[in-house]
């Protein structure tokens, strides 16, 4: 391999490492969501703790109450779910979305049996 070929390989490797590093995100912290569903709107507070691709946390809203959750962050994709207690019924709630920057995310929410919708999230 000649010198020019080696330099090209090194440049490609450095650029690849830089791109991979850019995709590493950490959502740890307190976030405020704006949620719009067919059943209404809300502004829950969501606290995340991230360990690699695994996330855990706590969800708090006026409509769905308080719940702990688990989920994942893979690249810029985030997903988490929990069981909400609504009128003494356990209802599955799922969030899936995209992390759009250090302090922003957006995506979809599914409240089983109640409705679907969208959300945006901002880190506090």
């Amino acid at each position: 391999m000649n010198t020019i070929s080696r330099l090209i390989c090194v440049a490609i490797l450095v650029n690849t490492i830089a791109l991979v590093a850019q995709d590493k995100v950490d959502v740890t912290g307190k976030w405020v969501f704006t949620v719009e569903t067919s059943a209404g709107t809300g502004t829950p507070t969501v606290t995340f703790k991230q360990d690699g691709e695994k996330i855990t946390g706590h969800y708090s809203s006026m409509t769905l109450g308080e719940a702990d959750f688990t989920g994942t962050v893979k690249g810029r994709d985030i997903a988490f779910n929990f069981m909400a207690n609504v009128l003494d019924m356990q209802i599955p709630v799922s969030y899936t979305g995209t992390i759009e920057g250090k302090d922003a995310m957006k995506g979809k929410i599914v409240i089983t049996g109640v409705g679907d919708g969208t959300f945006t999230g901002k880190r506090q």
Side-chain angles (χ1 to χ4, degrees), residues 75-107:
R76 296 217 170 265
D77 295 330
I78 187 166
F80 64 96
N81 55 64
F82 58 91
M83 296 298 286
N85 187 347
V86 178
L87 301 173
D88 292 327
M89 293 185 303
Q90 295 295 308
I91 298 174
V93 178
S94 297
Y95 278 84
T96 55
T98 303
I99 302 160
E100 298 201 311
K102 180 181 163 220
D103 299 323
M105 66 176 77
K106 72 177 183 179

mmCIF file of all heavy atoms in Angstrom, residues 75-107:
data_model
loop_
_atom_site.group_PDB
_atom_site.id
_atom_site.type_symbol
_atom_site.label_atom_id
_atom_site.label_comp_id
_atom_site.label_asym_id
_atom_site.label_seq_id
_atom_site.Cartn_x
_atom_site.Cartn_y
_atom_site.Cartn_z
ATOM 1 N N GLY A 75 -28.779 4.645 18.673
ATOM 2 C CA GLY A 75 -28.459 5.744 17.763
ATOM 3 C C GLY A 75 -29.258 6.955 18.174
ATOM 4 O O GLY A 75 -29.150 7.423 19.306
ATOM 5 N N ARG A 76 -30.108 7.435 17.300
ATOM 6 C CA ARG A 76 -30.971 8.579 17.609
ATOM 7 C C ARG A 76 -32.426 8.161 17.856
ATOM 8 O O ARG A 76 -33.296 9.003 18.036
ATOM 9 C CB ARG A 76 -30.903 9.605 16.488
ATOM 10 C CG ARG A 76 -29.510 10.208 16.355
ATOM 11 C CD ARG A 76 -29.561 11.663 15.995
ATOM 12 N NE ARG A 76 -28.263 12.283 16.101
ATOM 13 C CZ ARG A 76 -27.839 12.945 17.167
ATOM 14 N NH1 ARG A 76 -28.600 13.058 18.208
ATOM 15 N NH2 ARG A 76 -26.649 13.505 17.178
ATOM 16 N N ASP A 77 -32.680 6.845 17.871
ATOM 17 C CA ASP A 77 -34.030 6.338 18.118
ATOM 18 C C ASP A 77 -34.236 6.078 19.603
ATOM 19 O O ASP A 77 -33.384 5.490 20.262
ATOM 20 C CB ASP A 77 -34.276 5.042 17.342
ATOM 21 C CG ASP A 77 -34.248 5.249 15.845
ATOM 22 O OD1 ASP A 77 -34.601 6.358 15.384
ATOM 23 O OD2 ASP A 77 -33.865 4.320 15.123
ATOM 24 N N ILE A 78 -35.393 6.499 20.107
ATOM 25 C CA ILE A 78 -35.732 6.276 21.513
ATOM 26 C C ILE A 78 -37.080 5.584 21.583
ATOM 27 O O ILE A 78 -37.971 5.850 20.767
ATOM 28 C CB ILE A 78 -35.740 7.606 22.302
ATOM 29 C CG1 ILE A 78 -35.927 7.346 23.805
ATOM 30 C CG2 ILE A 78 -36.763 8.588 21.747
ATOM 31 C CD1 ILE A 78 -35.629 8.540 24.685
ATOM 32 N N ALA A 79 -37.223 4.691 22.551
ATOM 33 C CA ALA A 79 -38.492 4.000 22.773
ATOM 34 C C ALA A 79 -38.602 3.668 24.259
ATOM 35 O O ALA A 79 -37.631 3.223 24.872
ATOM 36 C CB ALA A 79 -38.580 2.723 21.943
ATOM 37 N N PHE A 80 -39.776 3.929 24.831
ATOM 38 C CA PHE A 80 -40.022 3.516 26.210
ATOM 39 C C PHE A 80 -41.503 3.287 26.403
ATOM 40 O O PHE A 80 -42.335 3.774 25.632
ATOM 41 C CB PHE A 80 -39.464 4.533 27.223
ATOM 42 C CG PHE A 80 -40.096 5.897 27.195
ATOM 43 C CD1 PHE A 80 -41.115 6.234 28.068
ATOM 44 C CD2 PHE A 80 -39.642 6.862 26.314
ATOM 45 C CE1 PHE A 80 -41.675 7.498 28.067
ATOM 46 C CE2 PHE A 80 -40.195 8.141 26.301
ATOM 47 C CZ PHE A 80 -41.214 8.458 27.183
ATOM 48 N N ASN A 81 -41.842 2.487 27.414
ATOM 49 C CA ASN A 81 -43.249 2.183 27.669
ATOM 50 C C ASN A 81 -43.477 1.946 29.150
ATOM 51 O O ASN A 81 -42.545 1.685 29.908
ATOM 52 C CB ASN A 81 -43.708 0.994 26.829
ATOM 53 C CG ASN A 81 -42.840 -0.209 27.041
ATOM 54 O OD1 ASN A 81 -42.785 -0.760 28.130
ATOM 55 N ND2 ASN A 81 -42.133 -0.634 26.009
ATOM 56 N N PHE A 82 -44.737 2.050 29.531
ATOM 57 C CA PHE A 82 -45.135 1.855 30.921
ATOM 58 C C PHE A 82 -46.622 1.540 30.973
ATOM 59 O O PHE A 82 -47.324 1.645 29.966
ATOM 60 C CB PHE A 82 -44.808 3.094 31.769
ATOM 61 C CG PHE A 82 -45.460 4.368 31.283
ATOM 62 C CD1 PHE A 82 -46.702 4.766 31.760
ATOM 63 C CD2 PHE A 82 -44.822 5.176 30.356
ATOM 64 C CE1 PHE A 82 -47.296 5.932 31.318
ATOM 65 C CE2 PHE A 82 -45.408 6.357 29.918
ATOM 66 C CZ PHE A 82 -46.647 6.737 30.395
ATOM 67 N N MET A 83 -47.076 1.164 32.147
ATOM 68 C CA MET A 83 -48.500 0.924 32.389
ATOM 69 C C MET A 83 -49.051 2.116 33.157
ATOM 70 O O MET A 83 -48.553 2.451 34.236
ATOM 71 C CB MET A 83 -48.704 -0.358 33.198
ATOM 72 C CG MET A 83 -48.250 -1.620 32.487
ATOM 73 S SD MET A 83 -49.137 -1.947 30.952
ATOM 74 C CE MET A 83 -50.701 -2.506 31.601
ATOM 75 N N ALA A 84 -50.060 2.765 32.595
ATOM 76 C CA ALA A 84 -50.711 3.895 33.253
ATOM 77 C C ALA A 84 -51.943 3.390 33.992
ATOM 78 O O ALA A 84 -52.648 2.498 33.519
ATOM 79 C CB ALA A 84 -51.112 4.953 32.229
ATOM 80 N N ASN A 85 -52.201 3.964 35.145
ATOM 81 C CA ASN A 85 -53.393 3.636 35.915
ATOM 82 C C ASN A 85 -54.429 4.730 35.666
ATOM 83 O O ASN A 85 -54.310 5.836 36.181
ATOM 84 C CB ASN A 85 -53.050 3.538 37.402
ATOM 85 C CG ASN A 85 -54.221 3.044 38.215
ATOM 86 O OD1 ASN A 85 -55.354 2.994 37.753
ATOM 87 N ND2 ASN A 85 -53.947 2.685 39.447
ATOM 88 N N VAL A 86 -55.439 4.409 34.838
ATOM 89 C CA VAL A 86 -56.486 5.363 34.497
ATOM 90 C C VAL A 86 -57.820 4.782 34.955
ATOM 91 O O VAL A 86 -58.228 3.722 34.488
ATOM 92 C CB VAL A 86 -56.511 5.650 32.982
ATOM 93 C CG1 VAL A 86 -57.631 6.603 32.625
ATOM 94 C CG2 VAL A 86 -55.160 6.201 32.529
ATOM 95 N N LEU A 87 -58.469 5.457 35.890
ATOM 96 C CA LEU A 87 -59.754 5.000 36.431
ATOM 97 C C LEU A 87 -59.651 3.558 36.925
ATOM 98 O O LEU A 87 -60.507 2.721 36.624
ATOM 99 C CB LEU A 87 -60.870 5.158 35.404
ATOM 100 C CG LEU A 87 -61.105 6.581 34.886
ATOM 101 C CD1 LEU A 87 -62.117 6.573 33.753
ATOM 102 C CD2 LEU A 87 -61.549 7.501 36.014
ATOM 103 N N ASP A 88 -58.583 3.259 37.637
ATOM 104 C CA ASP A 88 -58.313 1.931 38.200
ATOM 105 C C ASP A 88 -58.134 0.835 37.147
ATOM 106 O O ASP A 88 -58.320 -0.338 37.427
ATOM 107 C CB ASP A 88 -59.395 1.523 39.205
ATOM 108 C CG ASP A 88 -59.345 2.373 40.459
ATOM 109 O OD1 ASP A 88 -58.224 2.779 40.856
ATOM 110 O OD2 ASP A 88 -60.407 2.629 41.051
ATOM 111 N N MET A 89 -57.795 1.245 35.919
ATOM 112 C CA MET A 89 -57.474 0.279 34.858
ATOM 113 C C MET A 89 -56.023 0.480 34.447
ATOM 114 O O MET A 89 -55.549 1.612 34.360
ATOM 115 C CB MET A 89 -58.374 0.491 33.633
ATOM 116 C CG MET A 89 -59.831 0.178 33.881
ATOM 117 S SD MET A 89 -60.835 0.305 32.370
ATOM 118 C CE MET A 89 -60.525 1.970 31.836
ATOM 119 N N GLN A 90 -55.326 -0.626 34.195
ATOM 120 C CA GLN A 90 -53.953 -0.566 33.715
ATOM 121 C C GLN A 90 -53.958 -0.486 32.190
ATOM 122 O O GLN A 90 -54.482 -1.379 31.526
ATOM 123 C CB GLN A 90 -53.173 -1.800 34.183
ATOM 124 C CG GLN A 90 -53.014 -1.872 35.692
ATOM 125 C CD GLN A 90 -52.154 -0.724 36.208
ATOM 126 O OE1 GLN A 90 -51.058 -0.485 35.730
ATOM 127 N NE2 GLN A 90 -52.670 0.004 37.184
ATOM 128 N N ILE A 91 -53.390 0.601 31.658
ATOM 129 C CA ILE A 91 -53.397 0.836 30.213
ATOM 130 C C ILE A 91 -51.954 0.955 29.718
ATOM 131 O O ILE A 91 -51.197 1.788 30.217
ATOM 132 C CB ILE A 91 -54.178 2.124 29.878
ATOM 133 C CG1 ILE A 91 -55.632 1.974 30.311
ATOM 134 C CG2 ILE A 91 -54.074 2.438 28.396
ATOM 135 C CD1 ILE A 91 -56.437 3.237 30.160
ATOM 136 N N PRO A 92 -51.565 0.136 28.730
ATOM 137 C CA PRO A 92 -50.210 0.245 28.174
ATOM 138 C C PRO A 92 -50.021 1.554 27.396
ATOM 139 O O PRO A 92 -50.874 1.946 26.599
ATOM 140 C CB PRO A 92 -50.103 -0.945 27.224
ATOM 141 C CG PRO A 92 -51.215 -1.864 27.598
ATOM 142 C CD PRO A 92 -52.293 -1.004 28.162
ATOM 143 N N VAL A 93 -48.892 2.214 27.647
ATOM 144 C CA VAL A 93 -48.530 3.447 26.953
ATOM 145 C C VAL A 93 -47.147 3.253 26.349
ATOM 146 O O VAL A 93 -46.233 2.798 27.036
ATOM 147 C CB VAL A 93 -48.509 4.651 27.920
ATOM 148 C CG1 VAL A 93 -48.092 5.923 27.195
ATOM 149 C CG2 VAL A 93 -49.859 4.825 28.599
ATOM 150 N N SER A 94 -47.007 3.587 25.058
ATOM 151 C CA SER A 94 -45.721 3.438 24.371
ATOM 152 C C SER A 94 -45.335 4.729 23.672
ATOM 153 O O SER A 94 -46.160 5.341 22.993
ATOM 154 C CB SER A 94 -45.800 2.333 23.313
ATOM 155 O OG SER A 94 -46.052 1.097 23.917
ATOM 156 N N TYR A 95 -44.091 5.109 23.854
ATOM 157 C CA TYR A 95 -43.500 6.249 23.157
ATOM 158 C C TYR A 95 -42.398 5.742 22.244
ATOM 159 O O TYR A 95 -41.568 4.934 22.662
ATOM 160 C CB TYR A 95 -42.864 7.223 24.151
ATOM 161 C CG TYR A 95 -43.811 8.193 24.808
ATOM 162 C CD1 TYR A 95 -44.540 7.835 25.935
ATOM 163 C CD2 TYR A 95 -43.948 9.484 24.323
ATOM 164 C CE1 TYR A 95 -45.393 8.728 26.559
ATOM 165 C CE2 TYR A 95 -44.791 10.393 24.939
ATOM 166 C CZ TYR A 95 -45.509 10.011 26.052
ATOM 167 O OH TYR A 95 -46.355 10.908 26.654
ATOM 168 N N THR A 96 -42.361 6.217 20.999
ATOM 169 C CA THR A 96 -41.263 5.957 20.077
ATOM 170 C C THR A 96 -40.936 7.276 19.385
ATOM 171 O O THR A 96 -41.838 8.032 19.035
ATOM 172 C CB THR A 96 -41.615 4.905 19.012
ATOM 173 O OG1 THR A 96 -42.794 5.319 18.319
ATOM 174 C CG2 THR A 96 -41.843 3.535 19.632
ATOM 175 N N GLY A 97 -39.652 7.538 19.216
ATOM 176 C CA GLY A 97 -39.306 8.811 18.607
ATOM 177 C C GLY A 97 -37.865 8.893 18.166
ATOM 178 O O GLY A 97 -37.121 7.904 18.185
ATOM 179 N N THR A 98 -37.500 10.120 17.802
ATOM 180 C CA THR A 98 -36.170 10.422 17.320
ATOM 181 C C THR A 98 -35.593 11.564 18.144
ATOM 182 O O THR A 98 -36.268 12.580 18.363
ATOM 183 C CB THR A 98 -36.225 10.848 15.837
ATOM 184 O OG1 THR A 98 -36.850 9.813 15.082
ATOM 185 C CG2 THR A 98 -34.835 11.097 15.288
ATOM 186 N N ILE A 99 -34.365 11.390 18.579
ATOM 187 C CA ILE A 99 -33.670 12.438 19.309
ATOM 188 C C ILE A 99 -33.092 13.379 18.261
ATOM 189 O O ILE A 99 -32.302 12.975 17.414
ATOM 190 C CB ILE A 99 -32.568 11.836 20.207
ATOM 191 C CG1 ILE A 99 -33.207 10.842 21.180
ATOM 192 C CG2 ILE A 99 -31.805 12.934 20.931
ATOM 193 C CD1 ILE A 99 -32.258 9.851 21.771
ATOM 194 N N GLU A 100 -33.525 14.637 18.312
ATOM 195 C CA GLU A 100 -33.181 15.581 17.254
ATOM 196 C C GLU A 100 -32.004 16.471 17.596
ATOM 197 O O GLU A 100 -31.588 17.270 16.784
ATOM 198 C CB GLU A 100 -34.395 16.430 16.934
ATOM 199 C CG GLU A 100 -35.545 15.593 16.431
ATOM 200 C CD GLU A 100 -36.517 16.411 15.653
ATOM 201 O OE1 GLU A 100 -36.916 17.479 16.143
ATOM 202 O OE2 GLU A 100 -36.856 15.981 14.543
ATOM 203 N N GLY A 101 -31.499 16.349 18.776
ATOM 204 C CA GLY A 101 -30.371 17.156 19.217
ATOM 205 C C GLY A 101 -30.149 16.873 20.684
ATOM 206 O O GLY A 101 -30.831 16.043 21.284
ATOM 207 N N LYS A 102 -29.208 17.559 21.265
ATOM 208 C CA LYS A 102 -28.876 17.331 22.666
ATOM 209 C C LYS A 102 -30.078 17.549 23.584
ATOM 210 O O LYS A 102 -30.232 16.877 24.593
ATOM 211 C CB LYS A 102 -27.737 18.272 23.049
ATOM 212 C CG LYS A 102 -27.288 18.159 24.457
ATOM 213 C CD LYS A 102 -26.160 19.153 24.733
ATOM 214 C CE LYS A 102 -26.031 19.302 26.223
ATOM 215 N NZ LYS A 102 -25.799 20.628 26.663
ATOM 216 N N ASP A 103 -30.952 18.485 23.216
ATOM 217 C CA ASP A 103 -32.049 18.877 24.096
ATOM 218 C C ASP A 103 -33.428 18.785 23.462
ATOM 219 O O ASP A 103 -34.373 19.434 23.932
ATOM 220 C CB ASP A 103 -31.816 20.312 24.592
ATOM 221 C CG ASP A 103 -30.530 20.446 25.376
ATOM 222 O OD1 ASP A 103 -30.191 19.505 26.118
ATOM 223 O OD2 ASP A 103 -29.848 21.479 25.240
ATOM 224 N N ALA A 104 -33.599 17.988 22.404
ATOM 225 C CA ALA A 104 -34.898 17.918 21.734
ATOM 226 C C ALA A 104 -35.158 16.520 21.176
ATOM 227 O O ALA A 104 -34.241 15.833 20.740
ATOM 228 C CB ALA A 104 -34.974 18.940 20.603
ATOM 229 N N MET A 105 -36.418 16.115 21.221
ATOM 230 C CA MET A 105 -36.856 14.859 20.611
ATOM 231 C C MET A 105 -38.299 15.006 20.180
ATOM 232 O O MET A 105 -39.009 15.909 20.629
ATOM 233 C CB MET A 105 -36.673 13.673 21.563
ATOM 234 C CG MET A 105 -37.535 13.694 22.793
ATOM 235 S SD MET A 105 -37.375 12.204 23.832
ATOM 236 C CE MET A 105 -35.835 12.499 24.650
ATOM 237 N N LYS A 106 -38.729 14.116 19.288
ATOM 238 C CA LYS A 106 -40.135 14.096 18.872
ATOM 239 C C LYS A 106 -40.485 12.706 18.404
ATOM 240 O O LYS A 106 -39.609 11.896 18.097
ATOM 241 C CB LYS A 106 -40.417 15.126 17.780
ATOM 242 C CG LYS A 106 -39.844 14.791 16.433
ATOM 243 C CD LYS A 106 -40.258 15.834 15.420
ATOM 244 C CE LYS A 106 -39.748 15.470 14.023
ATOM 245 N NZ LYS A 106 -40.170 16.457 13.035
ATOM 246 N N GLY A 107 -41.799 12.432 18.385
ATOM 247 C CA GLY A 107 -42.212 11.110 17.939
ATOM 248 C C GLY A 107 -43.677 10.855 18.137
ATOM 249 O O GLY A 107 -44.494 11.773 18.125
#
